[in-house]
Amino acid sequence: SQMWNNPAILGFGMIYLLSISFYNYFGLSVTKSLTAVHRTLIDACRTILVWIIDLVIHCFITSYGEAFDTTYGFLQIGGFVMLMLGTLLYNEVIYIRAIASPRENASYAEISADFEGSQPLLDGSLRLIS
């Protein structure tokens, strides 16, 4: 009821739905044409982009946005750097020898030997219930 009676809330709600639709469409397009790693990296960059836009809005429109907080602003930047570093390491985009996985140089035979004798998660006994 409140949304239908307030044109500003209705407008922002429609813009929000439209932006989420575009976000999902372009996310699927990136995954289809590139890889899921690219989508993950772009998604991580979305966080810093929103924060930067919020800071820019505050600089030009004083009653909106967020001022840069010198107490926690650098902590936010450090957190973003850690987020990006973790994403890049996890997706094996960058390589740091000091923290490399011990299995990285292992052969396929060595890796598959670790799973020898293990039980499968699904044993083929599942049946559809009709």
Side-chain angles (χ1 to χ4, degrees):
S1 167
Q2 289 180 357
M3 187 158 78
W4 301 116
N5 293 330
N6 189 334
I9 293 176
L10 182 61
F12 282 121
M14 292 299 145
I15 290 171
Y16 176 74
L17 288 174
L18 189 65
S19 69
I20 294 299
S21 299
F22 278 118
Y23 171 74
N24 287 327
Y25 172 76
F26 289 119
L28 289 173
S29 298
V30 166
T31 305
K32 183 178 178 183
S33 54
L34 299 173
T35 64
V37 174
H38 291 94
R39 183 176 182 179
T40 304
L41 293 172
I42 292 169
D43 193 41
C45 289
R46 181 175 53 117
T47 307
I48 196 76
L49 182 65
V50 168
W51 186 57
I52 289 171
I53 289 172
D54 200 26
L55 292 173
V56 168
I57 288 173
H58 179 72
C59 288
F60 296 109
I61 304 171
T62 57
S63 62
Y64 298 106
E66 173 186 356
F68 183 77
D69 183 11
T70 55
T71 307
Y72 297 108
F74 295 110
L75 184 64
Q76 287 177 317
I77 293 170
F80 175 74
V81 169
M82 292 296 292
L83 170 74
M84 289 302 294
L85 182 63
T87 302
L88 293 170
L89 286 170
Y90 178 78
N91 290 308
E92 298 176 353
V93 174
I94 62 172
Y95 173 79
I96 298 176
R97 185 180 298 262
I99 58 173
S101 169
R103 303 177 105 195
E104 187 164 305
N105 295 324
S107 68
Y108 177 76
E110 292 171 335
I111 293 172
S112 61
D114 291 344
F115 296 102
E116 199 169 298
S118 62
Q119 297 295 320
L121 293 175
L122 298 175
D123 60 1
S125 63
L126 295 177
R127 292 181 177 45
L128 294 175
I129 299 172
S130 53

